[in-house]
């Protein structure tokens, strides 16, 4: 496999945040040594999450095995998952925002134009609505 230098469009604060959390976790577990430092593991994980780089390419680029790449990425993703808010908490936080970034896409939120019934509610039921939905064939 041919190996070359590449760039990853990731903020340095995201890299530092993940590296710090990985370092704290490694200290708590009493890990003696690793093939990569916490900072390099964070970079490896963010490269995979940002660009979807295959494990074999990351392994060649970082000079480690594909199994090690899998373990490092899995460990970092589990750590990030544990830090993430619950869905209800995230929806509550989003409800007071004007914009939401979802998977890197900026979504404007226009709370004034919700459907009359609102989202997540069952449609109105009653004798008049049941008669209209009855199959008359």
């Amino acid at each position: 496999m041919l190996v070359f230098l590449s760039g990853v469009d990731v903020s340095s604060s995201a890299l530092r945040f993940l590296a710090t959390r990985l370092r704290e976790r490694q200290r708590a577990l009493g890990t003696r040594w690793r093939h990569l430092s916490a900072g390099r593991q964070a970079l490896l994980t963010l490269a995979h999450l940002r660009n979807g780089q295959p494990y074999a390419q990351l392994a060649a680029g970082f000079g480690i095995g594909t199994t090690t790449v899998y373990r490092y990425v899995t460990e970092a993703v589990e750590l990030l998952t544990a830090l993430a808010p619950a869905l209800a908490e995230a929806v509550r936080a989003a409800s007071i925002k004007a914009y939401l970034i979802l998977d890197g896409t900026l979504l404007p939120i226009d709370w004034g134009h919700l459907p009359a019934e609102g989202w997540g509610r069952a449609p109105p039921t009653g004798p008049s609505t049941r008669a209209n939905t009855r199959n008359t064939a």
Side-chain angles (χ1 to χ4, degrees):
M1 177 178 289
L2 180 65
V3 179
F4 62 93
L5 294 176
S6 178
V8 179
D9 184 23
V10 174
S11 72
S12 58
S13 63
L15 182 63
R16 282 192 307 271
F17 175 81
L18 182 55
T20 302
R21 298 305 168 272
L22 286 167
R23 208 172 290 114
E24 290 169 354
R25 183 174 189 280
Q26 290 168 7
R27 223 177 275 129
L29 292 174
T31 303
R32 293 186 203 194
W33 68 272
R34 297 251 175 156
H35 288 288
L36 298 178
S37 67
R40 300 277 291 161
Q41 182 181 355
L43 181 60
L44 169 90
T45 302
L46 293 174
H48 175 69
L49 294 175
R50 179 77 169 122
N51 297 336
Q53 295 285 2
Y55 292 153
Q57 289 179 0
L58 290 169
F62 281 86
I64 56 178
T66 54
T67 304
T68 305
V69 170
Y70 172 79
R71 281 185 296 131
Y72 282 4
V73 169
T74 302
E75 177 186 28
V77 168
E78 286 174 356
L79 189 134
L80 290 172
T81 303
L83 295 172
L87 179 60
E89 196 177 320
V91 169
R92 202 172 313 114
S95 69
I96 61 171
K97 307 286 184 188
Y99 292 94
L100 182 66
I101 298 176
L102 183 64
D103 285 338
T105 304
L106 181 65
L107 303 172
I109 300 172
D110 189 359
W111 294 108
H113 291 88
L114 287 176
E117 299 88 31
W119 290 343
R121 293 188 194 155
T125 58
S128 62
T129 56
R130 278 191 223 124
N132 293 337
T133 58
R134 202 177 290 153
N135 188 359
T136 58

